[in-house]
Amino acid sequence: MSAAQVARRLRVSRKSVYTWHRAWETGGEQALLSKGPSGSDCRLDERQLDRLQQELDAGPAAHGWTEDQRWTLARVAVLIKELFGQSYTLRGVSYLLHRLGWSPQVPQRRAAERDDDAIATWIKETWPLVEQRRGTRTRGSASKTKQANH
């Protein structure tokens, strides 16, 4: 098979096919085996990852962030630095949290003073009155010079 045919069949570039062929010629099938995932190894061991998971489960307030109950990447980076003395970039924290099964989420904005009973009462009693009044208006014209036809 030609390099172009192999590239088309495997959906890769011809350059990759040539590189793999050279590796196969010099090192045989062993040279084509996967070397595993690339990138650096995690700087935290399994015991530290377990502890981090426990601390995250305890929530931000347990670590002094009481103004809201959200973990941000920056907060988790600070926590990792305090607990284990390891510095992580925000992107590194994101990868680490993903590895632990956490996913990014946009929090639902709700007022802390929200009163669900008062809202339900307003919807049931006040809103129908507002809706009724809307239908009683007469049509008019926004123009001062041209009157609306009735």
Side-chain angles (χ1 to χ4, degrees), residues 72-137:
T72 63
L73 295 177
R75 287 179 178 182
V76 176
V78 168
L79 180 65
I80 291 170
K81 181 73 172 169
E82 288 175 357
L83 293 174
F84 311 114
Q86 294 286 339
S87 295
Y88 270 81
T89 63
L90 297 183
R91 176 173 267 183
V93 171
S94 176
Y95 289 140
L96 184 61
L97 289 175
H98 182 73
R99 177 180 174 185
L100 292 174
W102 290 69
S103 63
Q105 297 181 2
V106 177
Q108 186 177 20
R109 295 250 179 229
R110 294 186 111 183
E113 305 84 18
R114 181 182 171 105
D115 182 353
D116 289 325
D117 293 334
I119 293 170
T121 302
W122 187 89
I123 290 172
K124 199 170 15 170
E125 296 173 9
T126 309
W127 179 244
L129 298 174
V130 172
E131 255 184 337
Q132 283 176 352
R133 273 191 245 134
R134 231 173 58 199
T136 61
R137 293 188 185 141

Side-chain angles (χ1 to χ4, degrees), residues 3-15:
Q5 289 172 316
V6 172
R8 232 184 340 274
R9 188 176 241 174
L10 298 178
R11 297 182 182 157
V12 296
S13 68
R14 279 186 284 171
K15 182 178 179 186

